[in-house]
Amino acid sequence: MIEYNERAFALHGDGFTCLLRINEYGLPELLHFGDPVTVEDAEALRFLPGLGWGGSVLLKEGDPASCADTMPLVWSGCGRGDYRESPLELDGVPTDFRYKNHAITDGIVPMEGTLPQAKGDCQTLRITLTQKNLELDLYFSVFGGVLTRRTVLRNTGTASVTITKIMSAMIDIHGQYRMTTFNGGWIREMGRHDDMVGESRIVNESVTGASSNRHDPGFLLSDPDATEESGRVYGFNLIYSGNHYGSAQRSIQGFTRILQGISPSNFRWELAPGATFETPEAVMAYSTEGFGGLSHKMHRFVNECIVPEHWQYRARPVLFNDWEGCMFDFDHKKLVGLAKQAKALGCELFVLDDGWFKGRKNDFAGLGDYAVDRKKLPHGLEGLSKKIRTMGLEFGLWFEPESVNPDSDLYRKHPDWALTDGFDPLLGRHQLLLDLTLPAVRDYIVENVSRIIDRCGITYVKWDMNRHSIALGRKAHDYILGLYEVLGRIFHPRPRVLLENCSSGGNRFDLGMLTFGPQVWCSDNTDPIDRLTIQGNRSYLYPQSTFGAHVSAAPHAQTLRTTPLCTRGNVSFFGCLGYELDLDHLLKIERNEIIDQIAFYKKYRKTFQFGSFYRLKNGWQVSRKEYHIAGVFRTLTQPAPPYETLRLRGLKREQHYYYCTRGQRLRIGQFGSLVKHVLPVDLNPNGAVLRTADRRITLPDGTQQGHATGAALQAGLPLIPNFRGTGYDTNQRTLTDYGSEIYIIEEDWDSGKIR
């Protein structure tokens, strides 16, 4: 994986090489990051300065090549002639680190503190740089198709040093690039934004104390003409859950400098003599197969090197969560009734969400306390869990351990445990954050959460955090370190507990949290049409096995949009399926449809959760072994729509396949007043007869099946027509606005037989 030859290093991964050299000035120079090359190419791939550049500050007088400002580097000093953005700032003091030594080791070099890191088969290069009283270790680890980077600063002097900025990684790559970031907010996560990188800096940053729904820590750089299937694309991410920073800026020499690390906003760290500071691990990947190829590398890395070992490629259960059906209004009897219904539908896990502890009638009180509300749950959590588990369901529970309401026993006893900024407290969702930098607070959370998990036989935890603090200030990084300690103490001894992180939806969807639990709640917005954007854009950097994706009621609480139940299911299939609605209000035809959905999902669960994910022009595709499943999704219907094709990917060109649609049903009510035109009597479209029929009668939507080679399916399968305004027919797709279809494609060993 890693070659070394006369101060040059070739870090070889799956489809890429990162080629470095220690130049004659002791600086770590990047020669190439892209298509595979050899270490012998080091001299040929150097950028030569000629007579240099006007206005240069030289490291060596008379040597025009010694201008740090024009070199492509993987680390640079500050105040010594490189005027591009610096990865390290020491309270205004210049830095000038030069090469000391290096080492190449098999496997990872473990981090010293609580920061999580990637694990798996790899090789690691350490390059140590030094200046007076300081040493800097640059770590490069090659995991298959991904390169990780981190930095360790060590104080070798006798006086403290103040760090105001330190990045995990810096890299200068040559070329003109488009930067893609994913931005948004609550219930509107992961909007894609594309900007050409020029000589003004583009910054992707979070300052909310979390990795943030405003700006995902991951971003992409691509050739301007890169597509889903072709062109060079670089991917970047950070294994961190706090304030993050990423930037890109192009120099007049044509080098684009990319930085990744902790946000320097309000960051200040006193490094005592003999102490070290370790940054989070940054992630880099490269593909010549467009955005899709880059995503496949990132997905494999997350599934194999980030999520906990026990959950790597292990199927996630189909769950029912009571929140949108009950909110705070429930008791033991109602929950048991919902659990019985969920079991009958095919669910495998019942999750009790917020409202189970004393004083929690709404979101104004109770957070921080762990005493069970005996009025709601007279048999306690243990009794409820036992009852549900005897039905054959697993039991899961919601916690929000990091927060406290002022109206709580904990706050009344320990007001000093809440984070404050010296001003009058500002509440978010009527709550404050607990100060996780305090050992007593961490112990309190670990003791209470662990006790309930163990006593109640809990196999799933939803860990929520709805307070995003502006009081963290300089404590922001310490807070995240404290959080990682808490999560490690609770979940590392309990690897079989499925941890799903949540923070006002997708406010903590990051690689750091995924090292403790294999999935994250994508968004509080469960509208499937919005989820096409949220889940689709998350797929650029994260695999669908990490997506919490639930079917909820329509009209949707977040948009008031009404969508077909089949579309709600079809979108949620491409993730970890769950249901979150009041089962008491389901019609019989809806129950039957959900039973069919869950049975179908279970049959192809590993394909949906762990198959190779493709973003198609009109939907999504997952492929695993001999199975390929595609979802075609529509938003608003146009009249007299043109023919549509389904162009699949990743199939064997010569292989014969059988394809068919998953059967779906249409409700009579969809046709409105048109129904009276095909009946012998005149009925009121809003009357009791047709309302009753809508609750009981369905029609089959158009289906399609046949045989074709992989070459034909990749060229584009013509789909049966959409509704064209002339009536119902089984040879058309009649689901219109927000309609969707699922296509199953299987390797066909007997092309003459319809299965």
Side-chain angles (χ1 to χ4, degrees), residues 66-116:
S66 67
C67 176
D69 194 47
T70 66
M71 297 175 187
L73 302 170
V74 294
W75 195 266
S76 182
C78 177
R80 298 287 289 170
D82 187 347
Y83 296 107
R84 296 167 293 179
E85 186 178 8
S86 174
L88 177 66
E89 295 178 6
L90 303 177
D91 206 14
V93 177
T95 61
D96 189 9
F97 286 90
R98 307 293 178 98
Y99 173 80
K100 178 181 180 181
N101 58 40
H102 73 272
I104 298 172
T105 59
D106 291 330
I108 63 170
V109 175
M111 301 172 83
E112 294 181 1
T114 62
L115 281 171

Side-chain angles (χ1 to χ4, degrees), residues 234-460:
Y234 295 89
F236 302 89
N237 213 333
L238 194 66
I239 308 177
Y240 190 60
S241 308
N243 294 337
H244 61 79
Y245 181 89
S247 68
Q249 186 175 16
R250 192 168 186 257
S251 71
I252 63 170
Q253 288 80 23
F255 297 121
T256 295
R257 172 162 291 183
I258 301 111
L259 294 177
Q260 300 169 263
I262 299 169
S263 168
S265 178
N266 289 318
F267 179 83
R268 191 177 183 88
W269 193 276
E270 298 299 324
L271 192 66
T276 61
F277 182 87
E278 201 156 23
T279 70
E281 199 165 28
V283 176
M284 305 176 179
Y286 169 81
S287 173
T288 57
E289 297 176 346
F291 294 99
L294 187 282
S295 295
H296 290 163
K297 289 189 174 186
M298 286 294 201
H299 291 188
R300 182 176 178 183
F301 172 71
V302 174
N303 278 326
E304 297 181 358
C305 302
I306 292 294
V307 302
E309 183 178 1
H310 177 79
W311 290 103
Q312 291 174 8
Y313 298 113
R314 184 181 295 271
R316 318 285 197 261
V318 178
L319 67 82
F320 173 80
N321 182 297
D322 80 310
W323 174 247
E324 289 202 15
C326 300
M327 296 197 175
F328 297 103
D329 183 19
F330 61 82
D331 57 22
H332 178 91
K333 182 179 179 181
K334 181 169 184 176
L335 294 177
V336 170
L338 289 173
K340 288 179 180 177
Q341 294 182 69
K343 173 66 175 176
L345 295 173
C347 293
E348 300 158 313
L349 165 67
F350 182 90
V351 179
L352 172 58
D353 210 283
D354 197 353
W356 53 266
F357 42 93
K358 189 176 67 173
R360 193 67 170 170
K361 299 177 182 178
N362 50 45
D363 59 4
F364 285 84
L367 277 182
D369 299 338
Y370 290 88
V372 176
D373 187 335
R374 291 284 174 171
K375 291 182 180 179
K376 292 182 181 180
L377 302 174
H379 308 290
L381 286 173
E382 295 96 327
L384 177 65
S385 173
K386 182 178 180 181
K387 182 67 175 178
I388 288 173
R389 286 184 287 129
T390 59
M391 298 178 193
L393 288 168
E394 296 180 70
F395 181 64
L397 191 62
W398 173 97
F399 294 89
E400 191 167 352
E402 299 168 66
S403 294
V404 62
N405 289 121
D407 184 4
S408 67
D409 293 340
L410 178 65
Y411 188 81
R412 285 184 280 271
K413 183 178 180 180
H414 290 292
D416 55 313
W417 282 11
L419 271 170
T420 59
D421 53 12
F423 298 95
D424 291 337
L426 297 177
L427 303 185
R429 207 187 180 218
H430 322 297
Q431 61 200 56
L432 296 167
L433 280 182
L434 291 170
D435 189 349
L436 266 62
T437 69
L438 301 176
V441 172
R442 300 196 296 271
D443 291 344
Y444 176 81
I445 294 171
V446 171
E447 177 185 344
N448 282 285
V449 175
S450 299
R451 169 178 53 82
I452 292 171
I453 291 174
D454 293 341
R455 287 185 181 179
C456 298
I458 289 169
T459 58
Y460 165 99

Side-chain angles (χ1 to χ4, degrees), residues 521-523 525 527-536 548-549 571 620:
W521 183 227
C522 279
S523 174
N525 186 347
D527 183 318
I529 304 308
D530 287 330
R531 280 296 187 110
L532 292 175
T533 296
I534 295 168
Q535 293 175 210
V571 172
W620 300 330

